[in-house]
Amino acid sequence: MAFNGAINEPYPKPEDLDRSTLSHTQKGFKISARKLPISKSGPIDEMSKSLNIPVPEMIFGDNLVAIEHLASGWRLEFNAYDSLDKVDKTDKNMLKVAYSKEWSSTREKTHEGIKEVVKPFDWSYSTDYMGTITQGKQFTNEDAEPIPIELLKRPDPILFFEEVVLYESELDDNGISVFTCKLRVMPDRMLLLCRLFMRLDKVLVRIRDTRIYVDFNAKKIIRDYTEKEDSFDNVRKGLLTSGRLPDDLTVAMRDPNQLAHLIPEVKHTLETLSL
């Protein structure tokens, strides 16, 4: 969606948000996705000040994915602000690059004019964000069952599909950190995958997945959260061992779908709720 208004005109307006939100209602559940251009400088500065950290270069502050149960009002959404608010705002989880002093000096000048914001934080923008429940019941880990993968493998028609980016950073040319949400809705069920993919070149590869499975008929929701992590060299060696040609490694190292099965799991939680 292009923005052609005056440079100082407030954007997005309420009508832009409404027009850019696509929704599908299935058996009492409303699934919505909104995709808008990268946030403008004003909202970016406001978000940085509110979060107390600089935000990534590409921040889609108005994008979101939401699931709502119309009868009960229960609602879960994924948005850029809340995902970044879960980034560690201390130096406990800061990663090091080969030229860390030079990198840090450059990074401190990224948001000139709001220097009070610049302080140690996890500049890889790694987050353990699993969504925001804006209304209704919370998840519980009691009697939680795994997502029924076999049902998702059935050739059911896909009634609604969207992919939404919440933020992306190239980590000052040291790799990538990107948070995306992808959903597909079938007649009796849906799956939402929200993924943090972070690759710090020559250091680390990290994938954090939140899967939301909804059984429309049973009104049951499962949240499956997984963290995977390994050294950059181990992942690269895994690609070679799996038969990848050396010339293909650069492309493969940018694709989490080609890497996920090679990276060991370091954390897994399973939760559920019934409406």
Side-chain angles (χ1 to χ4, degrees):
M1 177 179 176
F3 172 62
N4 298 313
I7 194 67
N8 294 321
E9 181 180 351
Y11 181 78
K13 298 178 181 178
E15 57 266 31
D16 295 316
L17 296 178
D18 292 339
R19 187 169 55 247
S20 302
T21 303
L22 301 176
S23 297
H24 176 85
T25 301
Q26 186 71 15
K27 295 189 175 182
F29 285 84
K30 182 179 180 181
I31 302 96
S32 302
R34 184 165 68 225
K35 295 190 286 187
L36 280 166
I38 294 174
S39 297
K40 297 175 72 176
S41 59
I44 286 175
D45 289 345
E46 290 176 7
M47 184 180 291
S48 293
K49 290 177 182 178
S50 180
L51 290 170
N52 210 24
I53 60 172
V55 300
E57 307 94 273
M58 290 169 278
I59 179 74
F60 300 86
D62 299 297
N63 287 4
L64 65 78
V65 172
I67 304 171
E68 182 180 1
H69 182 240
L70 297 176
S72 67
W74 180 88
R75 186 176 182 276
L76 170 72
E77 76 168 51
F78 286 80
N79 64 73
Y81 183 93
D82 288 346
S83 62
L84 289 170
D85 198 30
K86 295 282 287 183
V87 170
D88 188 355
K89 299 180 179 68
T90 71
D91 59 358
K92 293 180 179 178
N93 294 305
M94 287 182 68
L95 300 172
K96 301 294 183 182
V97 295
Y99 46 100
S100 57
K101 280 190 176 181
E102 292 83 353
W103 187 93
S104 297
S105 176
T106 301
R107 186 67 188 175
E108 288 172 0
K109 299 175 183 177
T110 300
H111 286 255
E112 190 173 355
I114 51 170
K115 294 178 180 174
E116 69 276 6
V117 169
V118 180
K119 64 179 185 178
F121 72 103
D122 181 7
W123 51 264
S124 74
Y125 295 109
S126 296
T127 178
D128 58 1
Y129 179 56
M130 294 186 282
T132 305
I133 295 178
T134 60
Q135 185 172 326
K137 300 169 63 175
Q138 298 293 320
F139 285 93
T140 175
N141 55 17
E142 294 181 7
D143 301 321
E145 298 178 357
I147 292 174
I149 302 299
E150 291 305 315
L151 292 179
L152 291 171
K153 290 181 179 179
R154 291 172 44 172
D156 295 331
I158 297 177
L159 307 177
F160 185 54
F161 173 86
E162 283 295 335
E163 184 169 6
V164 177
V165 180
L166 297 186
Y167 66 80
E168 182 174 347
S169 171
E170 294 182 353
L171 306 180
D172 286 353
D173 296 325
N174 286 290
I176 188 173
S177 183
V178 57
F179 196 100
T180 58
C181 295
K182 185 184 296 185
L183 66 87
R184 57 187 171 108
V185 179
M186 288 75 72
D188 294 321
R189 58 193 59 87
M190 71 163 288
L191 181 68
L192 167 62
L193 169 61
C194 290
R195 167 171 284 174
L196 179 281
F197 172 54
M198 194 284 292
R199 187 198 74 242
L200 182 59
D201 293 336
K202 299 182 180 180
V203 179
L204 189 72
V205 180
R206 177 178 286 159
I207 295 177
R208 294 179 175 177
D209 287 341
T210 300
R211 290 176 172 84
I212 306 293
Y213 172 85
V214 182
D215 183 319
F216 298 133
N217 297 317
K219 298 180 179 59
K220 182 177 181 180
I221 304 168
I222 300 173
R223 179 163 67 181
D224 185 306
Y225 175 74
T226 304
E227 293 186 0
K228 294 185 175 184
E229 188 171 307
D230 206 353
S231 71
F232 183 93
D233 286 342
N234 281 350
V235 177
R236 193 174 183 277
K237 290 174 184 177
L239 285 170
L240 288 170
T241 303
S242 67
R244 291 281 177 181
L245 297 176
D247 291 343
D248 297 333
L249 292 188
T250 300
V251 174
M253 289 295 287
R254 296 173 179 168
D255 184 359
N257 293 321
Q258 298 188 47
L259 305 180
H261 69 286
L262 300 172
I263 304 175
E265 183 179 294
V266 296
K267 183 177 180 179
H268 181 218
T269 63
L270 199 60
E271 300 170 292
T272 187
L273 67 82
S274 296
L275 299 170

